[in-house]
Amino acid sequence: MSGIAMPAPDAKTLARRDEIVEDMRVIVPGEGVVAAETAMRAFESDGLTAYRQLPLVVVLPQTVKQVQRILKYCNDRNIRVVPRGAGTSLSGGALPLQDAVLLVMSRFNRILDIDYANRTVTAQPGVTNLGITNAVRHEGFYYAPDPSSQIACSIGGNIAENSGGVHCLKYGLTANNVLGVEMVLMNGEVVRLGGKHLDAEGYDLMGVVTGSEGLLGVVTEVTVRILKSPETARAVLLGFPSSEQAGQCVADIIGAGIIPGGMEMMDRPAIRAAEDFVHAGYPLDVEALLIVELDGPGAEVDHLIAAVEAIAARNGSTTCRISTSEEERMTFWAGRKAAFPAVGRISPDYFCMDGTIPRKELPRVLAGMRALSEKYGLGVANVFHAGDGNLHPLILYDANRPGELERAEAFGADILRLCVKVGGVLTGEHGVGVEKRDLMPEMFSQEDMNQQIRVKCAFDPEHLLNPGKMFPQLHRCAELGRMHVRAGQLPFPDIPRF
């Protein structure tokens, strides 16, 4: 696989593979079990393709009852399980384990209920993010969080990673737009959290589950809020001679009390790659490009566009284009949405990083990344959710050149350390997974992480769900003051440290 350390595979589980595969075929008959090595290659990684590992077996259930039976079977036999949605995760959150059942939820792909009166959609977790909007678009509604992978990423995976997107500045991330979930715990129990109502009493368990990266349970149903499409939406392209000026413009727009529907930033390498790929009409003579979208009543949008133009001019903008049609607005966004695959055309490999910083620190962090680029001898293309300080540096490297992968990993780690140093956080929407797992101590003390692990123990005492992700070290629950005994023995007496 890679240099990233993962929990040692359980020899007893590996020895029983044939038996486990046959038992899975009983639970999920037909074509729901994938066990041949060549067929499992399609599942050996998620969107973070630098790290690969074949699973023990791939299982694709279609019913909640099947999910219950799979999890209870694995729980009773001490078999690890890695949940997976569409596999678009960029942090290795769905990376398989050699001794784990890979539980793929892509066949849960139906919309169950559309309730315009309550402005909600209830869907199975395998429905794509864009699929929800497409289902309600004809009535003038949409689902606000819109990751760049929205055409492919699943709503269940969005909950696992608390995904955002270009419009999360004004309308919030997944956590702000999901109202309820049904999920199956590791012991096979089905629980429901939330519903169509806006809020609930008691502990915020929805907040615990959203962003939990498949460590607490397997989501089998999701209820989200939908919004009425704005009367008017127009996008403005603003070009700047430097990234620092563009970054200051972002801070000034927010400081003026203007909350755009979306505000994205790209630097020169990303601009060129996106323009060559999509031909969106981006200016090629600028160092940084801002896409600012204003939405709402027509008169309000006109007023805000004028205000944004004035702020941009004060920050030295050299280009200003305002969309004049819905087609042109979508073209502006098409380049940004395609930035990741576009960069793939100019570099054999790239790491897509994800960190979040206070907006005012954007110029400082951009300067720091340039210095790191020189230090490691690797290029970087920058794409940001600039309005909320969520950075997506794309580190360019060639895995076929000895040492470049390791340098790219070190470069990315230093970017995230810089984010934390200036008051930011390790991730905004991609999750921790394996990519940022070993950097958690940069942000959290051991006691902080112990508290998080106690939550994990409450849901999954045996640490069978997605082990090796998020936490740099495995712990027995008993070590954290929660004694869990089965058949007179503590679980995992020889639990590995990594």
Side-chain angles (χ1 to χ4, degrees), residues 258-272:
I258 300 170
I259 307 296
M263 185 156 52
E264 299 290 302
M265 180 174 165
M266 303 165 69
D267 68 2
R268 180 185 282 271
I271 295 167
R272 288 184 171 275

Side-chain angles (χ1 to χ4, degrees), residues 2 14 68 164 186 192 208 223 228 251 261 276 300 314 319 378 395 400 440 449 458 460 472:
S2 71
L14 296 178
Q68 287 182 271
M186 190 64 215
R192 280 188 173 272
V208 171
T223 299
K228 194 70 177 173
D276 289 344
E300 178 185 0
R314 289 198 294 271
T319 302
L378 296 173
I395 299 172
N400 291 319
M440 289 285 275
M449 284 189 285
D460 175 25

Side-chain angles (χ1 to χ4, degrees), residues 69 100 140 148 408 424 448:
R69 291 179 64 190
S148 294
D448 291 332

Side-chain angles (χ1 to χ4, degrees), residues 178-196:
V178 62
L179 297 172
V181 300
E182 173 191 84
M183 84 175 179
V184 184
L185 303 182
M186 190 64 215
N187 63 5
E189 180 183 354
V190 177
V191 297
R192 280 188 173 272
L193 305 174
K196 290 186 179 182

Side-chain angles (χ1 to χ4, degrees), residues 346-357:
I346 64 173
S347 176
D349 302 283
Y350 67 83
F351 259 123
C352 177
M353 305 304 297
D354 165 51
T356 301
I357 61 172

Side-chain angles (χ1 to χ4, degrees), residues 354-416:
D354 165 51
T356 301
I357 61 172
R359 283 182 292 262
K360 68 176 183 178
E361 299 291 350
L362 189 54
R364 175 181 172 186
V365 171
L366 287 169
M369 281 196 285
R370 276 198 297 273
L372 289 171
S373 177
E374 293 178 8
K375 172 183 174 181
Y376 288 102
L378 296 173
V380 60
N382 284 298
V383 182
F384 307 148
H385 298 315
D388 56 349
N390 189 195
L391 316 181
H392 293 315
L394 305 171
I395 299 172
L396 314 180
Y397 72 101
D398 185 346
N400 291 319
R401 294 180 178 174
E404 282 210 3
L405 171 58
E406 291 75 17
R407 293 211 315 275
E409 289 176 317
F411 186 0
D414 278 351
I415 289 175
L416 295 175

